[in-house]
Amino acid sequence: MSQEFVIEAFPRDDQGRGASRRLRREERKIPAIVYGGDKEAVSISIWHNELKKALENEAFFSHVLTIDLNGKKESVILKDLQRHPYKPLLTHADFLRVDKDHEIHVNVPLHFLNEESAPAIKLQGGVANHQITEVEVICLPQNLPEFIEVDMATVEMDQVVHLSDLKLPKDVKIAALLQGEDHDLPVVAVHKPRGAKVDDAEEGEEGEEGEDKE
């Protein structure tokens, strides 16, 4: 994990919808909570625009973050985020404490490499059909990957890449695979567009007809 995200936080004593609205309107902050571990949950507030800007970085969702509350720092992950139903505003955030000795469950994005240059796509006219774009992993906080790569360079026409085909960093597990083979979900497949398949079939039939006439 090459990046570090530090979130400045402030104690929050006022509770309720009215207090949350005042917080957002007057101070440009949003309510949040830090929970988990062997400690009690702590209500905090954080800068709205600072969090919104951090969320523009995909890595923020799959990183161990640092909450700085009056100089006291805690390691957390973003567990839940609430948004306004129609305004571009954040309304609440939940952060889960983590420690280096306990595994965490985090959704990590998939990065598809060499897709446009894959022979099945570039030369044979195939199209990649992405079934999932992120996957839940289990690992210790220090082993949390920012993303998982899916190399498409050798994927052939009509081939399906499953979760079990992904190359994982050391000491990282995919949660779904721990539930059995039935949960080995498809990740991406390469197929010819439906119209192209019909055209190929018609060309094949025309070729056969020509041979029959000869």
Side-chain angles (χ1 to χ4, degrees):
M1 293 180 291
S2 57
Q3 294 177 280
E4 182 179 2
F5 296 94
V6 179
I7 302 170
E8 183 180 12
F10 307 89
R12 179 169 61 92
D13 298 321
D14 294 338
Q15 306 289 328
R17 291 185 178 180
S20 296
R21 284 196 295 267
R22 287 193 300 273
L23 188 69
R24 289 190 289 267
R25 184 175 62 251
E26 298 174 8
E27 300 185 38
R28 299 291 187 257
K29 298 174 184 174
I30 65 167
I33 189 169
V34 179
Y35 68 98
D38 299 326
K39 302 178 183 179
E40 292 185 359
V42 176
S43 296
I44 61 173
S45 63
I46 56 180
W47 296 112
H48 175 276
N49 290 346
E50 179 182 322
L51 179 60
K52 188 175 181 181
K53 183 176 181 180
L55 292 172
E56 295 175 359
N57 190 331
E58 178 190 57
F60 187 83
F61 295 90
S62 56
H63 262 63
V64 174
L65 317 171
T66 300
I67 292 284
D68 187 343
L69 179 61
N70 291 336
K72 183 180 180 181
K73 298 182 178 181
E74 285 194 297
S75 296
V76 301
I77 56 173
L78 178 64
K79 200 63 179 175
D80 190 33
L81 185 67
Q82 298 177 21
R83 303 174 186 268
H84 193 280
Y86 57 88
K87 295 181 181 179
L89 298 174
L90 309 172
T91 58
H92 194 277
D94 293 358
F95 296 97
L96 175 66
R97 295 186 183 98
V98 300
D99 68 74
K100 63 182 181 66
D101 297 320
H102 290 83
E103 291 184 327
I104 54 178
H105 293 237
V106 181
N107 285 335
V108 172
L110 299 177
H111 283 189
F112 296 89
L113 307 181
N114 301 313
E115 186 170 313
E116 293 183 358
S117 61
I121 294 175
K122 185 177 181 179
L123 302 179
Q124 300 176 40
V127 175
N129 182 13
H130 302 97
Q131 301 293 324
I132 57 176
T133 56
E134 64 178 17
V135 63
E136 182 184 1
V137 301
I138 304 174
C139 62
L140 293 173
Q142 58 270 28
N143 296 329
L144 180 62
E146 182 177 323
F147 53 83
I148 292 176
E149 295 181 344
V150 184
D151 192 350
M152 301 287 291
T154 59
V155 177
E156 299 177 353
M157 186 67 71
D158 294 327
Q159 180 181 347
V160 179
V161 178
H162 290 82
L163 290 176
S164 59
D165 297 317
L166 301 183
K167 293 183 179 180
L168 303 176
K170 184 179 179 181
D171 298 323
V172 175
K173 297 168 287 189
I174 293 179
L177 294 180
L178 299 181
Q179 301 178 47
E181 294 182 0
D182 292 343
H183 295 269
D184 189 10
L185 302 176
V187 175
V188 62
V190 176
H191 299 296
K192 279 195 173 183
R194 184 171 299 177
K197 287 186 176 181
V198 172
D199 291 342
D200 288 348
E202 290 177 350
E203 289 179 4
E205 291 176 359
E206 290 176 357
E208 291 177 358
E209 290 177 0
E211 292 178 358
D212 292 341
K213 289 180 180 179
E214 290 178 0

